[in-house]
Amino acid sequence: MSGTGEALDPDFPYAVLRDLGTGVFTVDVLGRITFVNPWTERLLGRSSAQLVGRNAHDLLHRRPDGSPVPRGQCTMMSPLDGGLCVEQGSEEHFLRADGTTVPIIWATTPLLLAGRRAGLVVVFNDFSLHRDAEERAAAHTAALEALTTRLNLVADVSSVLMSTVAAPGRITRLLRLLVPALGDWAAIDLRSERERTAGVLERVAVRSHAHPRAARRLEGPLPPLPPGSRPPVARATGGDEPARLSADEVLGNPDAPLATTHRPLFDRLGGHSAVVVPLRARRRHYGMLTVARAGAAPSLTDDEILLLTDIGRRLALVLDNARLYHEQRNVAETMQRQLL
C-alpha cells in the first residue's frame, strides 16, 4: 500500500526492475533462465528470446579468456544445490552475444514462491567501470607515493650537500642516499686539482648495494685515457646532457664511448644500464656522476634522470664553492704572510 492508502499499480514491480540500472534474471531449479529485465539484455547484447529457456551457467558463465567454467566450480549457481545463503562476488565473467566477456559484480539469492524453492534471482552489473576506477585510483596512489619518496630524497640530498661536512664526506653521504634509492651502484669521478695530476680523473667514491668491498677497491686515480676515449669523456664531464650507457655495449665494444672508464665498474659490480651525469658549474667541469641499475630493475626513467641531473648540478655547485673558498683562503694567507 502507498502512504495515501492507494493500491500500487500492478506494473510497479516490473517498472522497478526495468529502470533499476542493473541486470536481473531468474532461473528455475534446473538453472534455466525464466525471466530477464531490459538491463540484462543490454549488458549481454542478447534479447529475452535468446535467453529465456537456456541454461544460465552453460550459456553465460566464462573465464576471462572465454573458456567455459566447470559447473562444479560455479559459486554463482551453488544455492541451487541446496544452500539458502546469499552468494556474491566480483571475479566472474559473462559471455556476450558478440563473443566478448564482461567482468561482473554479482549476487544471487534463492527464489521462493509460496514457501517453495523455485530457483534463483541473479543480480549483476558490468564491473569493468568499477575496476578501471580502482586501477586509476591505485595508479594515482602509486604516483603520489613515488612523488613523496622523490621529494624526501631531494630533501635528504639538499641536507647533505648543504651541511658543513668537508666535500669528500658529503660525496660519501650522497652516494649512500642514491644507492639503493635510485640505483644498485653509483660512482663519482672528479678531475684532480693537484698540480702533478691536474685534469686526471680520479674515482673518489664508489658505492654498491650488493658488492661493497669490490666497490671500495675501484676507488682511486683512473689510468691515462687513450686518445680515442678523451672526446666522449670530455663530453660526459663537461657537457650539459646526461648520457645513457648499456652494459652490453661497454663490455662488448672496447671502442664504445666511456668504455675505458666504465668497463671496470660493470665488470666488477654488474648491472645492465647506467646514466652518466656531468658535474658542471659556472663553466667549470668537475667530473661525472654515474648511477646504474642491475638485475630485474628497469632502466632509469626520464623523470629519474632529470632528478639525477639536478643532483649533479647541486653537487657541482658544492665543489665549485669549495674551490672558491680554498682560493680565497690561499689569497688571504698569502697576503697575511706578506704583511708579516
Side-chain angles (χ1 to χ4, degrees), residues 62 70 79 185 195-196 212 240 264 270 276 291 294:
R62 295 292 186 274
W185 58 260
E195 293 184 5
R196 292 183 179 180
D240 294 319
V276 180
V291 176

Side-chain angles (χ1 to χ4, degrees), residues 22-23 43-44 60-66 76 89-96 98-107 123-135:
T22 192
L43 291 171
L44 300 179
L60 302 176
H61 201 180
R62 295 292 186 274
R63 292 194 173 95
D65 61 2
M76 198 178 307
S90 59
E91 300 297 329
E92 310 294 340
H93 290 71
F94 275 169
L95 182 66
R96 293 172 51 87
D98 61 5
T100 61
T101 59
V102 55
I104 60 169
I105 183 170
W106 59 272
V123 180
F124 72 99
N125 212 334
D126 184 349
F127 194 52
S128 60
L129 297 178
H130 302 276
R131 189 167 294 171
D132 291 344
E134 288 182 352
E135 290 176 354

Side-chain angles (χ1 to χ4, degrees), residues 271-290:
H272 53 74
S273 60
V275 170
V276 180
V277 174
L279 304 179
R280 182 173 181 268
R282 301 188 182 103
R283 299 184 180 181
R284 291 184 69 93
H285 310 152
Y286 288 95
M288 53 187 167
L289 164 65
T290 305

Side-chain angles (χ1 to χ4, degrees), residues 86-331:
V86 174
E87 297 287 350
Q88 58 186 358
S90 59
E91 300 297 329
E92 310 294 340
H93 290 71
F94 275 169
L95 182 66
R96 293 172 51 87
D98 61 5
T100 61
T101 59
V102 55
I104 60 169
I105 183 170
W106 59 272
T108 62
T109 186
L111 175 63
L112 301 177
L113 297 178
R116 298 180 59 185
R117 184 187 300 275
L120 290 177
V121 178
V122 181
V123 180
F124 72 99
N125 212 334
D126 184 349
F127 194 52
S128 60
L129 297 178
H130 302 276
R131 189 167 294 171
D132 291 344
E134 288 182 352
E135 290 176 354
R136 288 195 298 270
H140 183 64
T141 301
L144 287 177
E145 291 176 349
L147 178 60
T148 301
T149 301
R150 195 164 298 170
L151 290 174
N152 289 336
L153 177 62
V154 170
D156 291 341
V157 167
S158 299
S159 177
V160 166
L161 294 181
M162 292 174 64
S163 69
T164 57
V165 178
R170 280 185 268 185
I171 289 174
T172 300
R173 293 183 181 184
L174 174 63
L175 291 193
R176 289 175 184 169
L177 292 175
L178 299 184
V179 177
L182 283 178
D184 293 280
W185 58 260
I188 292 180
D189 304 328
L190 299 182
R191 293 186 179 277
S192 175
E193 297 290 335
R194 293 187 289 270
E195 293 184 5
R196 292 183 179 180
T197 58
V200 175
L201 279 176
E202 182 176 355
R203 191 148 283 153
V204 298
V206 184
R207 182 171 177 82
S208 170
H209 185 61
H211 309 285
R213 293 183 179 179
R216 287 193 293 270
R217 294 192 191 102
L218 289 167
E219 295 176 0
L222 297 182
L225 298 175
S229 299
R230 292 171 188 170
V233 171
R235 287 192 296 270
T237 59
D240 294 319
E241 298 298 326
R244 294 178 181 267
L245 294 184
S246 163
D248 291 339
E249 182 180 10
V250 171
L251 295 175
N253 181 9
D255 298 325
L258 302 180
T260 302
T261 54
H262 285 70
R263 186 185 301 111
L265 290 168
F266 280 109
D267 185 43
R268 299 186 189 182
L269 304 180
H272 53 74
S273 60
V275 170
V276 180
V277 174
L279 304 179
R280 182 173 181 268
R282 301 188 182 103
R283 299 184 180 181
R284 291 184 69 93
H285 310 152
Y286 288 95
M288 53 187 167
L289 164 65
T290 305
V291 176
R293 290 275 175 87
S299 299
L300 287 157
T301 65
D302 291 340
D303 288 341
E304 289 169 331
I305 293 175
L306 286 175
L307 175 59
L308 279 177
T309 303
D310 181 63
I311 292 173
R313 293 194 193 100
R314 298 183 186 209
L315 175 57
L317 285 173
V318 167
L319 297 172
D320 199 59
N321 289 336
R323 175 187 63 82
L324 292 174
Y325 170 76
H326 286 298
E327 288 181 356
Q328 291 171 0
R329 189 178 67 176
N330 290 336
V331 170

